[in-house]
Amino acid sequence: MTDFYSAPRHRFPAPSLRVEASAGIDDAQATVVLAYRSDSCTALLEQAIAGARRENAAVRAVHFESDTTTAPSTGALSQTKELADRLAEADLEFEIQRADSDVASQIIDLAEEWQAKLIVMPSKRRSPVVKLLLGSSTQRVVLEAECPVLIVK
């Protein structure tokens, strides 16, 4: 007999978004969520590290890129490794996740799941027309997050 009312069972588990993590990340008591775009300024990471130290927290980063027509994914792995090295040098517990299809939802869900003390995000200047047509991940996170959001320009 077929059960049409229950959720379908998937044959394969969903792949983990975790790319890299420190050994003690799963034992961290507090979290700062970092939305890390590949072309972000150095101040973004500095603010996330300062926030994590201030809150005595681990950093859970979502690494995403801004695609270009010439090289949409060039350097992602090296930049992820560089980010991991910087967080390790700062002596912080950390986790780096690759971006899912909806970065704003991923950041909000990560913050809710780990009861984040702070979200640190980059800002990208966009015209009002582009915001109207495409929306803004930063705006959505600011409006929907349960914790403070620090926008770094």
Side-chain angles (χ1 to χ4, degrees), residues 41-101:
C41 64
T42 57
L44 178 74
L45 184 56
E46 292 169 0
Q47 289 296 324
I49 290 171
R53 286 185 176 146
R54 186 174 49 252
E55 298 291 340
N56 195 21
V59 175
R60 295 182 190 274
V62 176
H63 183 230
F64 59 101
E65 292 191 46
S66 46
D67 292 335
T68 65
T69 55
T70 56
S73 61
T74 308
L77 190 57
S78 64
Q79 289 172 343
T80 300
K81 180 68 176 148
E82 183 180 313
L83 175 60
D85 291 344
R86 294 274 314 269
L87 292 170
E89 285 172 13
D91 199 29
L92 294 171
E93 296 296 333
F94 68 91
E95 170 187 28
I96 302 173
Q97 293 186 2
R98 62 184 167 82
D100 201 358
S101 59

Side-chain angles (χ1 to χ4, degrees), residues 111-122:
E112 287 176 1
E113 177 183 354
W114 295 101
Q115 299 170 347
K117 303 287 185 185
L118 176 69
I119 297 173
V120 181
M121 295 189 70

Side-chain angles (χ1 to χ4, degrees), residues 29-48:
Q29 298 297 313
T31 295
V32 169
V33 175
L34 168 63
Y36 188 79
R37 193 173 62 224
S38 296
D39 60 352
S40 298
C41 64
T42 57
L44 178 74
L45 184 56
E46 292 169 0
Q47 289 296 324

